[in-house]
Amino acid sequence: MAVKNIAIGTGRRKTSVARVFVREGSGKIVVNGKDVAEYFPTEVMVRTVHQPLLVTSYENKYDILITVVGGGLKGQAAACLHGISRALLQIDPDARASLKANGFLTRDNRMVERKKYGQKGARRRFQFSKR
């Protein structure tokens, strides 16, 4: 018997995109084929990923499979948080109030400003020389 996805969510942060698949299970979170604690190096990032489950008290009810690409690890962790929140919303629309109150449903739209041509960086200019 094939494993059935209950809900699917897409989370984004900076240049990271996380596809989240929620299934019935015991609370295991797998990120890119590895356990969440194995994939993310710090405890803070692991806690970031777990936050939506703790807020909605679903920590041991669902297994979560995440495929995340792009950006750095911190952006990926935030993308996972966003994706899990959106997927949980499909399962339980009543959880919207608690997820929204914690700001988990809002996509953090802060991006790195692009470098402009003829310049050293996004804002940095080449040093002015009078002579």
Side-chain angles (χ1 to χ4, degrees), residues 47-65:
R47 256 186 280 137
T48 301
V49 175
H50 280 282
Q51 275 181 328
L53 297 167
L54 296 171
V55 166
T56 53
S57 64
Y58 287 140
E59 53 261 33
N60 297 322
K61 198 170 180 187
Y62 302 112
D63 282 346
I64 298 173
L65 179 74

Side-chain angles (χ1 to χ4, degrees), residues 28-128:
K28 199 169 75 172
I29 300 178
V30 178
V31 183
N32 289 355
K34 295 181 181 177
D35 184 59
V36 68
E38 196 182 321
Y39 186 80
F40 292 113
T42 64
E43 185 60 38
V44 174
M45 290 180 194
V46 174
R47 256 186 280 137
T48 301
V49 175
H50 280 282
Q51 275 181 328
L53 297 167
L54 296 171
V55 166
T56 53
S57 64
Y58 287 140
E59 53 261 33
N60 297 322
K61 198 170 180 187
Y62 302 112
D63 282 346
I64 298 173
L65 179 74
I66 304 171
T67 311
V68 65
V69 291
L73 288 172
K74 197 165 183 178
Q76 287 185 352
C80 293
L81 173 136
H82 189 224
I84 291 170
S85 300
R86 288 173 110 184
L88 288 175
L89 200 62
Q90 288 179 5
I91 298 167
D92 181 20
D94 300 332
R96 184 176 187 86
S98 58
L99 290 169
K100 196 167 175 68
N102 287 291
F104 297 157
L105 297 175
T106 308
R107 187 219 190 274
D108 196 342
N109 63 357
R110 293 175 295 174
M111 296 283 279
V112 176
E113 190 177 339
R114 78 172 196 83
K115 181 192 166 298
K116 279 71 171 189
Y117 60 88
Q119 287 183 23
K120 218 174 164 103
R123 302 280 175 97
R124 177 90 168 100
R125 307 284 195 265
F126 287 111
Q127 188 171 338
F128 173 73

